[in-house]
Amino acid sequence: MIIVLRPDATQQQIDHIIEKVQKLGLKVHISKGTERTIIGVIGPEDLLQVTPLEVFPGVEKVMPVLAPYKLVSREFKPENSVINVGKGVKIGSREIVIMAGPCAVENKDLLFEIASAVKKAGAQVLRGGAFKPRTSPYSFQGIGEEGLKWLKEVGETLQLVTVSEVMDPRDVDLVARYVDILQIGARNMQNFSLLKEVGATQKPVLLKRGLSSTIKELLMSAEYILSAGNFNVLLCERGIRTFEDFSRNTLDITAVPAVKQLSHLPIIVDPSHAAGKWGLVAALARAGVAAGCDGLMIEVHSKPEEAFSDGAQSLVPENFSSLMQELRRIAEAVDRTIL
Ligand code: PEP
Ligand code: MN
């Protein structure tokens, strides 16, 4: 439920309403817009049935949030959320933030080499998986904690924000100790224990859309994290399963404006896992920026032919760098900026 206040509501009136709601055992989330303030009510709303909030001074109207996702919805919070991911980087404002790096962390020297190249080209976030969700149990499963240590060290040396996947609820504290953003992979989008566990931290979470999940299901998964107390969520469109088999997945570009309409959370596009082929990545990245994404996540490897995973979809640093130039021009055309 949201309580919309009159433009002339005084602070005293606002405090009175908040006090009343909290006394009933419910939590509040305040959104201060340019025109008016909205109070979002979190918790079992039937507790409010006996309290006619409409008659409180300063209240314009009280409205139920009709969407099944409440805290995630734009009704609940009309203005865009800007997520502070550390090292001075914020996602969700006018600046589009580029995340880049290898699919997997392989060794420290290579990670440093790739990280230096993507930083030079304008990336602000270094990606790299230390725990890899692989279709086959016989494929490379990731370096583990050692890889997280390298990510932290390289991130600190180059002043890059770091993001890495956490696959197991038991590893949330471990991964959170080393990286700035916790990634929930597509295959774990509906691992509800994992969602609750990352929701119990205040670390930014990059939540990737499941391989066969609807936009509504993605938003419901985000609701698990917000309802556990963590509002620092970035959504990610990374391509979905369709009948098309030329590309690895089909980038659902519609998800970008759809998420923008339905939610206040930032939306990141991952063209690499959508394409599966490096030759398609640049066009999908450009489309993501044109459609209004708040960030891109792109796989880059200096020796894709030797990569432990996803070499076929990885850009070499030179191609990544020229793509960045193109993206800056598109960003300008849609009134955004890229570092
Ligand atoms: C990844 O980002 O390396 C990854 C495994 O992505 P997804 O979960 O989208 O497949
Ligand atoms: Mn990958």
Side-chain angles (χ1 to χ4, degrees):
M1 167 186 298
I2 55 169
I3 305 165
V4 182
L5 301 174
R6 291 165 51 96
D8 59 359
T10 65
Q11 193 54 48
Q12 208 182 2
Q13 290 170 336
I14 297 174
D15 291 344
H16 180 57
I17 299 161
I18 294 171
E19 197 191 315
K20 189 76 199 169
V21 172
Q22 286 176 338
K23 263 204 184 131
L24 288 164
L26 296 153
K27 290 196 187 121
V28 293
H29 184 276
I30 319 291
S31 299
K32 274 203 190 314
T34 41
E35 293 267 306
R36 60 183 80 225
T37 299
I38 290 175
I39 304 175
V41 179
I42 309 167
E45 292 174 0
D46 34 344
L47 291 173
L48 281 170
Q49 264 166 13
V50 287
T51 314
L53 287 168
E54 290 85 352
V55 302
F56 275 59
V59 173
E60 183 169 293
K61 57 186 170 188
V62 178
M63 298 191 315
V65 176
L66 296 175
Y69 37 87
K70 308 287 175 194
L71 311 179
V72 162
S73 74
R74 210 177 257 290
E75 291 157 275
F76 185 83
K77 183 170 182 282
E79 76 276 17
N80 290 336
S81 282
V82 179
I83 313 294
N84 185 348
V85 292
K87 300 188 174 108
V89 178
K90 293 188 169 69
I91 303 180
S93 66
R94 190 161 168 256
E95 182 173 78
I96 298 170
V97 173
I98 310 300
M99 311 177 176
C103 178
V105 177
E106 299 175 10
N107 68 64
K108 194 161 81 172
D109 290 345
L110 187 61
L111 183 66
F112 187 82
E113 181 187 323
I114 299 169
S116 309
V118 300
K119 162 104 186 176
K120 193 162 165 241
Q124 289 170 285
V125 181
L126 174 63
R127 63 147 289 141
F131 295 101
K132 295 304 303 175
R134 305 305 299 280
T135 301
S136 166
Y138 307 116
S139 300
F140 170 66
Q141 302 285 308
I143 296 279
E145 186 171 358
E146 189 70 4
L148 295 174
K149 288 185 183 163
W150 300 335
L151 258 181
K152 183 172 165 67
E153 191 183 322
V154 172
E156 277 169 6
T157 308
L158 295 173
Q159 271 301 295
L160 281 165
V161 174
T162 53
V163 55
S164 199
E165 177 161 356
V166 56
M167 288 169 54
D168 189 318
R170 292 166 297 189
D171 289 337
V172 169
D173 288 343
L174 174 83
V175 180
R177 234 179 287 140
Y178 293 107
V179 301
D180 300 304
I181 307 173
L182 299 170
Q183 177 172 324
I184 304 287
R187 291 155 193 81
N188 267 319
M189 189 202 85
Q190 287 189 320
N191 181 338
F192 301 116
S193 317
L194 184 58
L195 299 177
K196 286 179 195 167
E197 204 65 36
V198 298
T201 76
Q202 282 304 306
K203 275 269 173 185
V205 176
L206 176 82
L207 176 64
K208 299 187 92 175
R209 179 175 179 186
L211 280 74
S212 302
S213 299
T214 63
I215 293 168
K216 184 169 152 188
E217 285 162 343
L218 170 66
L219 297 174
M220 290 308 290
S221 287
E223 186 78 10
Y224 266 89
I225 305 173
L226 271 71
S227 65
N230 187 354
F231 274 65
N232 300 313
V233 174
L234 309 162
L235 302 169
C236 179
E237 163 58 40
R238 45 78 72 205
I240 48 171
R241 283 259 164 108
T242 66
F243 54 80
E244 181 54 66
D245 62 0
F246 178 74
S247 51
R248 182 177 179 181
N249 291 289
T250 298
L251 182 69
D252 180 12
I253 203 72
T254 310
V256 177
V259 163
K260 283 277 158 216
Q261 272 181 21
L262 300 171
S263 175
H264 52 86
L265 296 173
I267 174 86
I268 310 298
V269 166
D270 169 351
S272 306
H273 291 87
K277 297 175 176 173
W278 73 266
L280 303 176
V281 170
L284 300 187
R286 293 193 298 258
V289 170
C293 73
D294 299 297
L296 290 171
M297 177 182 255
I298 302 176
E299 285 186 340
V300 176
H301 200 292
S302 40
K303 295 190 193 74
E305 67 285 4
E306 289 174 20
F308 290 1
S309 58
D310 289 349
Q313 67 195 32
S314 298
L315 295 184
V316 291
E318 302 72 55
N319 288 343
F320 174 70
S321 182
S322 44
L323 170 61
M324 287 292 288
Q325 308 280 2
E326 295 169 12
L327 295 176
R328 286 189 186 100
R329 293 203 297 272
I330 297 170
E332 201 186 324
V334 293
D335 201 22
R336 304 288 291 265
T337 60
I338 292 178
L339 183 73

